[in-house]
Amino acid sequence: MTVQRTRTDDALSRALRALGAVELAVAAAAFLFTCAIVSLNAGLRYLANSSIVWSEEAALLATNIFVFVGAAVIFKARADVAVSYFLEKMSPRVAAWMEFATFAAAAAFLATMAVQAVLLWPLQRFTSTFILDISRFWFTVPLIWGAVSMCLTSLVFAIRRFAAIGRGEFGRIPPFVAAPVEPE
């Protein structure tokens, strides 16, 4: 059993699905770029005793992108790691309230993390990388993106759960992004 949706909820779902699709494309591109540049650099070192000077910094930035933006996609799909043993032992009503509290706490934590990351701007804006000569703050931007995206997702999940509790529904809150199915 899943929770019913309203028109506003459907608009939010479409917006978060669209954001999730963009985030998935960005994270996948960053992952593929990281794999390609690291492989190319390793091949050059082995075959030509040479390397691409900027590859390490670029790969590190791309890794930050696919980790933090990819985490936002995983969260939207509700495919993150969850310890559900205790929730399964609770009554559906208590489990629903626990889920609401978890989403609300996650939203508060993620909002705090995003604010603290933004506050790094004055410390990082004039510190640049050695090779690419870009601000170190660019390495913090994926963290901010992921934290804000997951915070919004948590808020919507919390609102959905609270509304469902009010209607007496205790089923699963559907994800915004379809999680990939593992082959059997």
Side-chain angles (χ1 to χ4, degrees):
M1 180 174 115
T2 59
V3 173
Q4 293 177 353
R5 296 184 193 179
T6 64
R7 285 182 196 214
T8 305
D9 196 36
D10 286 340
L12 285 171
S13 294
R14 283 193 302 275
L16 286 172
R17 267 197 302 278
L19 178 61
V22 169
E23 289 171 336
L24 180 59
V26 168
F31 177 74
L32 292 173
F33 174 79
T34 301
C35 292
I37 198 67
V38 168
S39 297
L40 178 63
N41 204 34
L44 284 171
R45 284 183 182 166
Y46 180 74
L47 296 173
N49 200 22
S50 180
S51 67
I52 303 169
V53 177
W54 50 265
S55 65
E56 184 178 342
E57 288 179 6
L60 181 60
L61 180 56
T63 299
N64 282 0
I65 292 169
F66 80 73
V67 166
F68 292 115
V69 176
V73 175
I74 290 168
F75 192 72
K76 282 177 185 59
R78 300 205 54 196
D80 49 332
V81 175
V83 180
S84 59
Y85 175 79
F86 294 108
L87 285 177
E88 292 167 359
K89 300 295 181 194
M90 298 175 185
S91 72
R93 181 179 301 276
V94 172
W97 278 108
M98 290 297 292
E99 188 177 44
F100 166 74
T102 301
F103 285 132
F109 172 76
L110 291 160
T112 302
M113 185 166 54
V115 167
Q116 291 301 313
V118 169
L119 292 176
L120 289 173
W121 167 251
L123 301 171
Q124 293 180 330
R125 69 179 166 184
F126 296 123
T127 306
S128 60
T129 62
F130 294 111
I131 305 299
L132 294 176
D133 196 31
I134 59 173
S135 170
R136 290 233 176 248
F137 190 71
W138 284 110
F139 290 79
T140 306
V141 169
L143 169 65
I144 295 168
W145 180 349
V148 168
S149 179
M150 287 188 283
C151 179
L152 293 173
T153 304
S154 291
L155 283 173
V156 174
F157 278 145
I159 291 166
R160 277 183 171 186
R161 174 48 70 203
F162 188 75
I165 290 170
R167 292 189 304 269
E169 298 175 0
F170 305 109
R172 179 160 164 76
I173 301 288
F176 296 114
V177 177
V181 178
E182 291 185 24
E184 294 183 21

